[in-house]
Amino acid sequence: MTQRNVAVVGVGQLPYRTHHADRTYVELAQDATLAALRHAGLAPDDVDAVVFSLAPTQFMGVNDADKWAVDAVWAQGKPFMRVSTGGATGGSAFQAAYQHIASGMFRCVLVVGADRVAETPDAQHVLNLIWDRFYEHDFALNTVTMTALAAQRYMHRYGVTEEQFARVVVRARRNAAGNPNAHLRKPVTVAEVMDSPRVSWPFKRFDICPRSSGAAAMVLCAGDMVARTRCTRPAWVRGASGISHSVFMGDRMTYWSDSEFADHDGFHHAAWAAYRQAGIVDPLRQIQVAEIYDPFSSFQFPQLESLGFCGRGAAAAISDAGGFDLDGGMLAVNPSGGTLCANPIGVTGLVRAADAALQIMGEAGANQVSNVHAAVATAIGGSTQFFTCTVLGDDHA
Amino acid sequence: MTTTQAVDDDVIHGEWHVRYTYSVGKVAGTFFAALREGRILASRCSDSGLVYLPPRAYCERSFQPCDGWVEAGLAGEIEAATIVTAAFEHLPPPPYAIAYVRLDGVSTAMVNFVRGLALSDVPAAAARLRPGTRVNVVFGAQRAGRITDFHYELA
């Protein structure tokens, strides 16, 4: 199969905040689009197709708002598709844009989206509505309780403590202080995390991401078009893969299961498929930055293990020792502050890819990691069910 | 020159009210009918040997139809649990505990409330809900043929 080389040549983000009272939903998406096009030195007419990153529309409150956004992101007269895989939406949308170009169908694709999670006070009610009405909806499942269940199981399997999760939050906030787009930028201590109000065992309030509004856009193009842009150091898409699991979490936690709920082991499959494409055989040696999807403090350990950076149950001790710190660690994990510090759900996966791309481009500002040749970006959605993994690099094959 | 001043905090309020009737279908209908009788029926695939709760029409491992019903044990083991101490809009008032439990004779785990457990000391209660802990199924006196007809209690 012949695949074209694909490069990220433009990134646009708006700061993530609780509210953006000065702009509507579509104006957020438009401003991110403008920023990405300007970054790439391209105009709307250069874009051949648009992928729109939009998860549940009940957060911002206009049903199927992709249709509302068509004009704002200059998609009139062009192929347009909405992608939605829950929390993984931005990761899937990015991969759809990549595949549009890699397949040879399009030369330049815009992937863009926005979210306003705090537009409704009922966000966790909306998230409860993703469970079926027959067997699971009645039991107060939402993203907080679902992930609390996985965290409790993970703690039991590997002997991890609440304090070890709290140190992840401390590191995330420390990194976010250097990222002007991050929503939560105030440093916290382990004691402050431990003393924040209990929500759902083992989570306290500070173990949990904020409800964010904001927008992100990326411009991708075929390798032979890069010279036409103003991007001199593109982030090349070296590998992209996704995997889906059963909607039933209870199918993934018994002796008979072929996957393990607590381990986020969908990433084992997604990552190694992406690594094969990228020629990565030793992730820890070949990847310098991980921008991973971590709306809860418990998400980093199982994910880093599934991504092959360490063995099962080993991530917490490495975290404690500073191995995932921005400076001096063995791998810079979420130098942006990650999802714990900003979660505009419909674009969060895209933000991970955007922040990973900026690291490759050398444009990550105060949080730039030195000598970045490869970065990995992930997203998770549904009932811890959809997993996407993308590898970006400073060179193509 | 007069200009119209933008008002930054101006908002328009909205609510959605949407009603549904969800068709239960044969598989869930069989399961719900058994709940009325105080029994939990799991679907079984003779090809893979897997026994499913919630029940399925097809085995998702063998891609063959589930061709039998098995009565699940009314006791089992916790696989994952949490204790909710914060109020969420439109969800039950806290505190409450939920757990995925694998009932005896079944290959998968099914979620429900765990009742009858003191929850005021959250870490202490969490220690009593560790994976591997045995629980019993307890049916309510009034049964409506719904998943809420029963809950779990520590054995």
Side-chain angles (χ1 to χ4, degrees):
Chain A
M1 177 174 152
T2 56
Q3 274 189 195
R4 290 205 293 189
N5 291 323
V6 179
V8 177
V9 290
V11 173
Q13 296 190 67
L14 299 191
Y16 305 105
R17 303 288 179 260
T18 305
H19 295 290
H20 278 278
D22 59 336
R23 279 168 278 199
T24 65
Y25 170 80
V26 294
E27 289 164 354
L28 281 177
Q30 187 163 56
D31 287 345
T33 299
L34 270 170
L37 287 170
R38 277 197 197 113
H39 189 217
L42 295 174
D45 281 350
D46 295 316
V47 172
D48 299 321
V50 176
V51 178
F52 199 71
S53 182
L54 174 56
T57 47
Q58 293 96 329
F59 297 130
M60 43 72 69
V62 174
N63 201 22
D64 297 338
D66 41 322
K67 65 179 175 17
W68 184 23
V70 165
D71 309 39
V73 301
W74 293 286
Q76 285 193 65
K78 297 170 188 172
F80 176 91
M81 68 157 68
R82 169 188 172 188
V83 171
S84 175
T85 48
T89 292
S92 300
F94 178 87
Q95 294 190 350
Y98 159 68
Q99 289 149 0
H100 273 4
I101 301 168
S103 68
M105 290 294 290
F106 301 99
R107 201 152 172 246
C108 182
V109 175
L110 167 73
V111 51
V112 57
D115 216 335
R116 301 174 78 95
V117 181
E119 211 86 324
T120 175
D122 299 327
Q124 286 299 330
H125 172 55
V126 168
L127 289 164
N128 173 246
L129 295 174
I130 71 172
W131 273 277
D132 77 79
R133 287 303 300 216
F134 308 103
Y135 306 115
E136 299 205 310
H137 169 266
D138 289 299
F139 302 115
L141 291 172
N142 54 41
T143 52
V144 176
T145 57
M146 162 180 77
T147 52
L149 289 159
Q152 185 252 12
R153 187 170 166 84
Y154 182 86
M155 290 168 82
H156 177 76
R157 285 168 74 83
Y158 302 112
V160 171
T161 66
E162 291 179 86
E163 286 82 1
Q164 290 182 298
F165 290 147
R167 283 184 204 114
V168 173
V169 181
V170 171
R171 181 173 59 240
R173 293 284 194 96
R174 188 169 63 228
N175 291 353
N179 174 8
N181 290 328
H183 185 168
L184 301 182
R185 303 180 63 199
K186 182 171 166 278
V188 292
T189 63
V190 169
E192 286 169 330
V193 177
M194 293 300 292
D195 289 344
S196 62
R198 287 201 176 278
V199 175
S200 184
W201 170 269
F203 295 146
K204 281 77 60 190
R205 184 178 293 162
F206 287 6
D207 289 302
I208 302 173
C209 64
R211 298 183 302 157
S212 306
S213 299
M218 298 176 79
V219 180
L220 287 70
C221 71
D224 61 9
M225 186 175 161
V226 171
R228 270 196 53 207
T229 73
R230 63 181 286 261
C231 179
T232 54
R233 197 170 162 185
W236 297 93
V237 184
R238 299 296 314 276
S241 185
I243 190 172
S244 311
H245 273 338
S246 163
V247 70
F248 288 111
M249 296 180 281
D251 281 20
R252 296 183 252 134
M253 52 175 78
T254 74
Y255 174 80
W256 290 269
S257 305
D258 54 7
S259 61
E260 171 50 56
F261 179 54
D263 284 345
H264 291 185
D265 64 357
F267 277 124
H268 176 77
H269 305 282
W272 283 102
Y275 291 167
R276 269 195 299 279
Q277 297 164 26
I280 286 173
V281 294
D282 183 349
L284 193 58
R285 191 175 59 79
Q286 294 175 271
I287 295 171
Q288 293 77 40
V289 168
E291 275 290 341
I292 63 176
Y293 186 87
D294 64 339
F296 301 89
S297 61
S298 61
F299 271 42
Q300 288 200 1
F301 302 155
Q303 204 168 157
L304 290 164
E305 292 161 10
S306 286
L307 291 169
F309 292 112
C310 59
R312 290 271 175 231
I318 296 169
S319 168
D320 290 346
F324 301 131
D325 286 0
L326 183 56
D327 294 311
M330 62 183 209
L331 173 76
V333 175
N334 289 359
S336 66
T339 316
L340 273 168
C341 300
N343 193 4
I345 296 177
V347 292
T348 298
L350 195 58
V351 175
R352 298 281 70 74
D355 285 336
L358 290 172
Q359 287 283 349
I360 299 285
M361 292 169 163
E363 297 182 36
N367 289 351
Q368 179 65 48
V369 177
S370 52
N371 298 316
V372 180
H373 299 293
V376 63
T378 68
I380 310 179
S383 55
T384 321
Q385 178 184 9
F386 301 114
F387 301 82
T388 65
C389 182
T390 300
V391 179
L392 301 175
D394 64 351
D395 198 3
H396 51 78
Chain B
M1 190 177 101
T2 51
T3 54
T4 306
Q5 187 70 39
V7 182
D8 255 12
D9 57 357
D10 193 13
V11 296
I12 291 174
H13 293 281
E15 286 184 35
W16 288 1
H17 298 279
V18 188
R19 292 171 296 168
Y20 299 92
T21 49
Y22 299 98
S23 293
V24 166
K26 281 184 189 170
V27 174
T30 302
F31 174 82
F32 288 147
L35 286 182
R36 273 184 205 276
E37 302 163 5
R39 298 186 302 145
I40 296 176
L41 289 186
S43 61
R44 183 178 185 276
C45 168
S46 57
D47 192 70
S48 67
L50 292 174
V51 178
Y52 286 100
L53 280 177
R56 319 289 156 86
Y58 263 76
C59 175
E60 291 157 12
R61 198 76 62 87
S62 71
F63 305 109
Q64 298 297 318
C66 284
D67 48 4
W69 288 94
V70 175
E71 200 157 326
L74 295 183
E77 276 186 13
I78 290 176
E79 295 285 2
T82 186
I83 297 153
V84 183
T85 48
F88 294 105
E89 297 286 337
H90 306 287
L91 293 180
Y96 51 88
I98 57 177
Y100 274 86
V101 169
R102 189 187 67 78
L103 295 178
D104 296 340
V106 179
S107 312
T108 62
M110 189 164 60
V111 67
N112 211 309
F113 292 112
V114 183
R115 301 201 194 279
L117 175 71
L119 300 175
S120 51
D121 182 343
V122 172
R128 299 188 66 196
L129 294 174
R130 288 197 181 108
T133 303
R134 296 289 299 174
V135 299
N136 293 323
V137 170
V138 177
F139 277 92
Q142 302 293 319
R143 296 196 287 266
R146 291 290 174 261
I147 193 73
T148 45
D149 284 353
F150 72 95
H151 61 267
Y152 302 128
E153 291 185 9
L154 293 182

